[in-house]
């Protein structure tokens, strides 16, 4: 029986219920994280929960849990569901209160929910690459917060699906920001270009790992904005996320990227990523 976590308890999936007045449900007023498990161990879990705590802080949600307690919850969740390879989703909403846009007074307790799923690494796509399309970034200006408000991302991803692509690469005006659910990199002349960490993108944990790998292998990692034209002329393009890892993009808007093969920098980053799975999972 699949177990989920709601407010301090591991309960059967079908008994897991939340209130119609939960502010996550009514306003999207909450935050989340998605963490990968490899061989029953959590990958870069501290980095994920540090970001979770930061997101909560930016929205003035008072989490009742420390990073250590949160790690313990997701670890138990993997264990009770006997998950080896998979992922854990965890979210916190501001809590349950009568519908009023401003924060509830008196303050209510946040609602914490988590569930886990079993699945394999995306081996085929990592080997062959994926298709992507470009789309205007219509999201709000606090994309650094991993909030439950994902309408812009949902619409972008749906646009990708409509054009038989796996990811939508967003651009604000001409500036490439990030994917619907990933960070984006253009590789040119052996250098890795990616949008700097600011309010326009999520500070991806996989992005952080890619930065570590590029330092390990002496690959220039350039955190500067670039435009759609630059991306289209890149030798290699990758997207990264907790589930997609270091994912090559071989077609963009129907055009072949570079020479159509998975390039040497991408391969190096994928190799480095496998090493970090060994050292950063616990
Ligand atoms: N999404 N940018 C956006 C908009 C994202 O939604 C994600 C991840 C990333 C990559 O972040 P990370 O490397 O920390 O996973 C960047 C997750 C996986 C999701 O929504 O399920």
């Amino acid at each position: 029986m699949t177990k989920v976590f709601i407010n301090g308890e591991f309960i059967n999936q079908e008994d897991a219920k939340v209130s119609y007045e939960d502010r996550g449900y009514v306003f999207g007023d909450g935050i989340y994280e998605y963490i990968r498990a490899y061989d029953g161990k959590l990958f870069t879990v501290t980095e994920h929960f540090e970001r979770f705590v930061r997101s909560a802080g930016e929205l003035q949600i008072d989490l009742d849990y420390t990073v250590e307690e949160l790690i313990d919850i997701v670890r138990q969740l993997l264990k009770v569901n006997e998950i080896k390879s998979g992922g854990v989703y965890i979210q916190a909403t501001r809590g349950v209160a009568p519908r009023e846009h401003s924060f509830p007074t008196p303050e209510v307790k946040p609602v914490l929910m988590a569930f886990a799923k079993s699945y394999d690494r995306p081996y085929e796509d990592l080997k062959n690459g994926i298709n992507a399309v470009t789309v205007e970034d219509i999201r709000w200006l606090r994309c650094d917060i991993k909030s439950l408000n994902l309408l812009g991302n949902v619409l972008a991803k749906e646009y990708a699906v409509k054009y038989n692509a796996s990811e939508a690469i967003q651009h604000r005006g001409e500036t490439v920001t990030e994917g619907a659910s990933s960070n984006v990199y253009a590789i040119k002349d052996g250098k890795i270009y990616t949008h700097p960490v600011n309010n326009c993108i999520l500070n991806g944990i996989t992005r952080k790992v890619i930065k570590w790998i590029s330092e390990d292998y002496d690959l220039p990692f350039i955190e500067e904005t670039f435009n759609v034209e630059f991306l289209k002329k890149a030798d290699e393009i990758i997207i990264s996320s907790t589930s997609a890892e270091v994912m090559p993009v071989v077609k963009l808007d129907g055009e072949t990227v570079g020479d159509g093969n998975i390039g040497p920098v991408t391969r190096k980053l994928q190799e480095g990523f496998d090493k970090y799975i060994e050292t950063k999972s616990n």
Side-chain angles (χ1 to χ4, degrees):
M1 187 75 71
T2 303
K3 299 265 191 205
V4 304
F5 177 90
I6 294 188
N7 276 341
E9 281 184 299
F10 292 92
I11 54 179
N12 288 335
Q13 194 177 26
E14 50 268 40
D15 299 326
K17 301 273 191 301
V18 289
S19 166
Y20 73 97
E21 284 187 321
D22 188 290
R23 288 181 63 99
Y25 184 53
V26 179
F27 294 117
D29 186 359
I31 52 156
Y32 76 103
E33 275 298 324
Y34 188 70
I35 306 155
R36 193 70 171 82
Y38 296 108
D39 198 21
K41 296 181 199 148
L42 293 159
F43 182 58
T44 52
V45 67
T46 306
E47 286 79 1
H48 277 283
F49 278 125
E50 280 170 0
R51 186 172 67 185
F52 192 64
V53 168
R54 177 188 181 272
S55 294
E58 292 300 307
L59 296 182
Q60 299 164 58
I61 292 175
D62 283 328
L63 288 176
D64 276 346
Y65 299 85
T66 63
V67 166
E68 289 69 32
E69 286 165 342
L70 292 164
I71 293 175
D72 191 51
I73 290 165
V74 291
R75 215 169 251 145
Q76 282 190 59
L77 199 60
L78 284 182
K79 213 162 160 202
V80 297
N81 289 296
E82 294 175 5
I83 288 170
K84 292 275 178 223
S85 177
V88 185
Y89 175 89
I90 181 162
Q91 72 167 43
T93 71
R94 195 178 304 280
V96 178
R99 185 178 182 277
E100 181 80 55
H101 286 64
S102 55
F103 297 173
T105 42
E107 219 175 274
V108 291
K109 266 171 94 81
V111 173
L112 190 69
M113 181 278 281
F115 62 84
K117 247 175 72 178
S118 183
Y119 65 90
D120 234 352
R121 294 179 63 188
Y123 291 114
E124 279 301 301
D125 286 346
L126 289 172
K127 202 169 85 188
N128 302 321
I130 58 156
N131 295 347
V133 287
T134 55
V135 66
E136 182 68 37
D137 191 340
I138 60 163
R139 300 171 303 158
W140 74 329
L141 291 171
R142 289 307 305 271
C143 298
D144 55 310
I145 301 171
K146 203 157 170 64
S147 99
L148 299 181
N149 278 275
L150 289 174
L151 269 181
N153 310 62
V154 165
L155 292 177
K157 192 71 102 183
E158 192 53 27
Y159 179 81
V161 169
K162 190 170 151 198
Y163 289 98
N164 286 321
S166 307
E167 182 58 305
I169 295 180
Q170 303 173 98
H171 51 89
R172 223 178 255 285
E174 277 307 300
T175 301
V176 173
T177 51
E178 63 179 344
S181 60
S182 61
N183 291 113
V184 174
Y185 312 77
I187 298 162
K188 190 80 193 155
D189 301 327
K191 299 187 184 106
I192 304 159
Y193 294 83
T194 196
H195 195 288
V197 170
N198 64 14
N199 62 307
C200 293
I201 66 159
L202 183 74
N203 187 0
I205 306 302
T206 321
R207 181 188 185 283
K208 199 170 275 189
V209 176
I210 289 176
K211 194 173 172 179
W212 294 338
I213 303 166
S214 60
E215 282 159 12
D216 295 344
Y217 289 130
D218 272 332
L219 298 166
F221 189 83
I222 301 163
E223 298 174 84
E224 282 171 17
T225 57
F226 53 84
N227 61 23
V228 178
E229 199 191 332
F230 182 83
L231 183 70
K232 292 203 166 171
K233 289 189 184 141
D235 302 327
E236 304 170 46
I237 298 175
I238 51 178
I239 59 156
S240 77
S241 77
T242 295
S243 47
E245 304 179 358
V246 180
M247 183 62 74
V249 175
V250 288
K251 257 194 179 157
L252 183 63
D253 290 338
E255 303 278 325
T256 303
V257 174
D259 63 7
N261 295 310
I262 311 299
V265 176
T266 304
R267 281 193 199 288
K268 205 101 202 120
L269 293 174
Q270 287 183 331
E271 182 190 304
F273 191 81
D274 284 348
K275 289 191 186 148
Y276 273 100
I277 290 178
E278 297 298 318
T279 56
K280 292 291 279 182
S281 303
N282 58 56

